[in-house]
Amino acid sequence: MRVKYWMTPRVITASPEEGLKGAWRLLKEHAIRHLPVLEEGRLVGIVTDRDLRQALPPRPRPWRSTSFSICWIGSHCGRS
């Protein structure tokens, strides 16, 4: 078996000048985890989704609560 039977023929690439957010967008749009970086048609590196997760600031998580407290002045406080 040869590599040519398993390779991706149409490779998505970025330039070294691509911003981190742009690279992240390419990974997400094309559902890929590795992004080859080309300069003048020559491979100069590879960026992975893990590399970008470590480099980008963390995304805010939606606030979630399983319960909340309700309190009225002069009333009893309880959990709903």
Side-chain angles (χ1 to χ4, degrees):
M1 179 92 31
R2 297 190 180 178
V3 173
K4 69 180 182 179
Y5 298 114
W6 294 96
M7 70 181 192
T8 302
R10 188 177 157 267
V11 179
I12 305 300
T13 64
S15 79
E17 300 305 313
E18 179 70 61
L20 295 179
K21 288 182 180 179
W24 184 256
R25 183 182 45 77
L26 286 171
L27 291 176
K28 292 302 162 194
E29 281 180 6
H30 298 282
I32 57 177
R33 293 178 43 203
H34 302 86
L35 186 62
V37 180
L38 301 182
E39 187 170 42
E40 296 178 8
R42 200 179 145 133
L43 181 67
V44 293
I46 296 176
V47 174
T48 68
D49 58 341
R50 183 178 181 183
D51 296 331
L52 294 178
R53 274 196 308 272
Q54 291 174 346
L56 290 170
R59 294 191 297 182
R61 293 184 176 164
W63 182 78
R64 285 198 251 175
S65 176
T66 56
S67 64
F68 59 93
S69 295
I70 300 175
C71 258
W72 288 277
I73 297 176
S75 178
H76 142 273
C77 290
R79 294 185 75 81
S80 298

